[in-house]
Amino acid sequence: MPYDPSAFPPFAVTVDLVVLTVRRHALCALAVRRGEPPFQGRWALPGGFVRDDEDLAQAAARELAEETGLRVHDPAVPAQDHGAHLEQLATYGDPKRDPRMRVVSVAHLALAPDLPAPRAGGDASNARWAPVDELLQQGGHGRDGEPVAPLAFDHAQILSDGVERARSKIEYSSLATAFCPPEFTVGELRRVYEAVWGVALDPRNFHRKVTGTPGFLVPTGGTTTRQGGRPAQLFRAGGATLLNPPMLRPEV
Amino acid sequence: MPYDPSAFPPFAVTVDLVVLTVRRHALCALAVRRGEPPFQGRWALPGGFVRDDEDLAQAAARELAEETGLRVHDPAVPAQDHGAHLEQLATYGDPKRDPRMRVVSVAHLALAPDLPAPRAGGDASNARWAPVDELLQQGGHGRDGEPVAPLAFDHAQILSDGVERARSKIEYSSLATAFCPPEFTVGELRRVYEAVWGVALDPRNFHRKVTGTPGFLVPTGGTTTRQGGRPAQLFRAGGATLLNPPMLRPEV
DNA sequence: ATCATAGTCGTCTGCCTGACGATAAACACT
DNA sequence: AGTGTTTATCGTCAGGCAGACGACTATGAT
C-alpha cells in the first residue's frame, strides 16, 4: 500500500533547549532575544528546526554547540574533554503554542559548567545567562533592569519543567558534577546543590555524604585555595551515575 | 513576515502507547498486530497520528480509549470513576525509524488495572496483553506459542523505556495503585510491586511501610477474602502522590 | 480437627541522617 | 608575630527507618 501524504497533518518539529548553569550562587538559564515575530524582542529559549536527516538528540546537540560552543559529553568516551550533559526533557505540542503553524517542540535539558559570556550568532546582546527566578517571575528583570520575563511561547513552562527535572535529578544521580569544572572541591559541589535547590546545606554532613558514596568522587591528589580558607582537595567525577542512597533534599 | 513553508521539513507526528497492567503476577503490555506494511503481521505498540486540532495528551487519551475503553484519570476530579494513569514518556525521532517517511513519535505511558480481554477495532485476535519479558526477549512468544517479538519499528526500545519508567516511578510515588482496582488489599498492592520489579518482598515489612506512610492508603472499612486466607482490610489510594521516604527496591 | 494460606503485629539490629563540637590550614589584618 | 576570618575536614551522638524474622490471627480446604 503506497504512502498517502493526505492521511496525516504535517507538523514542524523543533528542539528547544533549557541550558542551565550555576553563576554567582544562582541557577541560571540561557535565554536568547527573538529577532522576529511572533514575540519579537522578547526573550526565549534557544532552539530551532530539526533538519531532514537529523535525529532529535543530534539536533539538540547542534543547537547547543551553535549557542554555547559546548560539546556534549559522550559517556562512551571516558577520556573525553569536559562536555555538557544533554538529555531529552519533554515534548510540547499544544495546537496553539505557535500562532504561525502547528509546531511540536522536543525540549532538551542541558547542564553546563560556568561559562564565559554567551554568544548568539556572534551578537552578545541577544543572548544572556539569566537567573531562572527572574525568567519565571512575573515582571522579572535582569540586574541591568531589562525585563526578561515573561518568556515567549510556552517557554516559561518548558523552563520550569527543566528546572524541576534538574532539581530532582541531582538527588539520585551524580549529575550535579555537570555544573562543575573538570576538577572541583567538595565545597564547590555543595554550592551547586545549594544554588539549584535554593537551600543551605551543612558542610560537614555534605562532605561525609559525598566522600562516603563509592564512585561519586575521585580525588585527583591536587588541592586548591581558590575559595579562600584552608586548602581543599580536588576531585573529578567518578564513574557512578546513580547515587544510592540518594542525596536528601531538605524539607521546606 | 509571512510564514514560509519551505523553511522547515514536514514531519508526521504520532503518539505511541505503552499500556502496562499486571496480570497473573506478570507485568504485561498491550500489543496490537499490524495489519499493513511495514512490519505487516508483526506486533507493535498501539498508536496513531496526532490530529490537527489535538494536543499530544488528548491524542494519547483518545488512542487509549479507542484501544482499551479506558478513561484517563483526571486528578482535578477527585470523585471520578476509576481511570488509568497517563503520562508522557519520551519522543523518538530517528530519521529511519519508519521506512515510509519522517515520523516523530511522542510515546506515552499508561498504567491500568487488570482489564478484560482487549479489543482492537472489535477484533480481539489483533490485540493482546503480553508479558513484557516475552515482548522484549529475542524470539519471545506467548503461551499459545505465537511469536510476539521482536516488536515493529523501535517499539522494543519504547517499551523498554516505559517499563523502566514504571519501575522507578513506583519507588517514590503512589503510582502502583494505578495497577489496582478501586479497592484493594495490602497484599494485592504488594503483588503489584513484586510483578513490576520482579522480586519478592517481605509481606510484614511491606505492610508496615505502606500503612505507615501518611496519605498513601485510606482504609475503606471493608474486608475481603478473595485472595484466600485471613480476611484483609480494603483500602483506597490516598491523596498523597509522592512517597517520602520512598519505597526501596531491593538490590539485585 | 488439622492443615494450608494469607494477613497483621512486634522485636531487634544495623545503617544513615541531622545536629553540632572541634580541629586544621590557609589569608588578611594589625 | 599574633589575631581574627574563612573554609575544610574529622568526630560524636541520638533518632529514624529498613531488613530479618518470630509470633499470632482468621479464613477456607481436606
Side-chain angles (χ1 to χ4, degrees), chain A residues 197-236:
Chain A
W197 284 345
V199 298
L201 300 175
D202 185 290
R204 297 156 292 189
N205 292 336
F206 183 87
H207 189 278
R208 178 183 60 191
K209 172 72 176 171
V210 296
T211 57
T213 299
F216 192 6
L217 299 183
V218 179
T220 66
T223 62
T224 183
T225 63
R226 61 182 170 224
Q227 299 293 333
R230 169 176 166 182
Q233 278 189 80
L234 284 169
F235 294 87
R236 284 183 297 103

Side-chain angles (χ1 to χ4, degrees), chain A:
Chain A
M1 182 184 303
Y3 142 62
D4 173 10
S6 68
F8 64 92
F11 288 71
V13 175
T14 62
V15 290
D16 285 327
L17 294 178
V18 177
V19 190
L20 299 180
T21 194
V22 174
R23 314 191 75 184
R24 288 193 236 93
H25 290 202
L27 182 63
C28 294
L30 183 61
V32 297
R33 197 200 307 270
R34 285 190 57 78
E36 24 182 288
F39 300 101
Q40 185 166 25
R42 289 262 286 282
W43 293 87
L45 299 178
F49 290 111
V50 176
R51 295 181 183 163
D52 217 11
D53 56 348
E54 258 180 348
D55 191 5
L56 301 174
Q58 285 171 19
R62 172 178 55 76
E63 292 286 344
L64 181 64
E66 288 175 6
E67 302 285 347
T68 68
L70 278 171
R71 296 283 175 81
V72 172
H73 177 74
D74 183 348
V77 187
Q80 191 186 19
D81 245 36
H82 198 61
H85 170 85
L86 181 64
E87 67 178 46
Q88 196 185 104
L89 176 58
T91 299
Y92 300 81
D94 188 279
K96 297 200 166 69
R97 64 181 293 278
D98 188 317
R100 295 167 295 179
M101 55 187 169
R102 187 69 197 264
V103 179
V104 165
S105 173
V106 184
H108 285 70
L109 174 65
L111 307 184
D114 198 356
L115 296 172
R119 50 171 185 151
D123 184 352
S125 74
N126 286 331
R128 76 190 309 175
W129 294 107
V132 296
D133 296 341
E134 295 173 5
L135 291 172
L136 292 177
Q137 173 191 338
Q138 286 293 335
H141 51 80
R143 290 190 307 162
D144 54 6
E146 173 170 357
V148 292
L151 290 170
F153 304 107
D154 52 1
H155 288 187
Q157 180 66 50
I158 297 176
L159 174 60
S160 171
D161 292 347
V163 168
E164 192 40 56
R165 170 82 67 96
R167 283 187 175 142
S168 70
K169 207 148 180 181
I170 64 174
E171 286 187 48
Y172 57 88
S173 79
S174 60
L175 261 190
T177 59
F179 287 117
C180 294
E183 295 198 351
F184 54 89
T185 69
V186 172
E188 289 165 347
L189 183 62
R190 175 170 48 83
R191 281 181 279 274
V192 164
Y193 274 91
E194 291 178 333
V196 175
W197 284 345
V199 298
L201 300 175
D202 185 290
R204 297 156 292 189
N205 292 336
F206 183 87
H207 189 278
R208 178 183 60 191
K209 172 72 176 171
V210 296
T211 57
T213 299
F216 192 6
L217 299 183
V218 179
T220 66
T223 62
T224 183
T225 63
R226 61 182 170 224
Q227 299 293 333
R230 169 176 166 182
Q233 278 189 80
L234 284 169
F235 294 87
R236 284 183 297 103
T241 55
L242 254 51
L243 304 186
N244 202 315
M247 200 79 179
L248 289 187
R249 175 158 32 164
E251 302 294 316
V252 191

Side-chain angles (χ1 to χ4, degrees), chain B residues 202 204-205 208-209 225 229-231 245-246 248 250:
Chain B
D202 185 291
R204 298 157 291 188
N205 292 337
R208 176 182 61 191
K209 173 67 179 174
T225 62
R230 171 175 164 180
L248 289 188

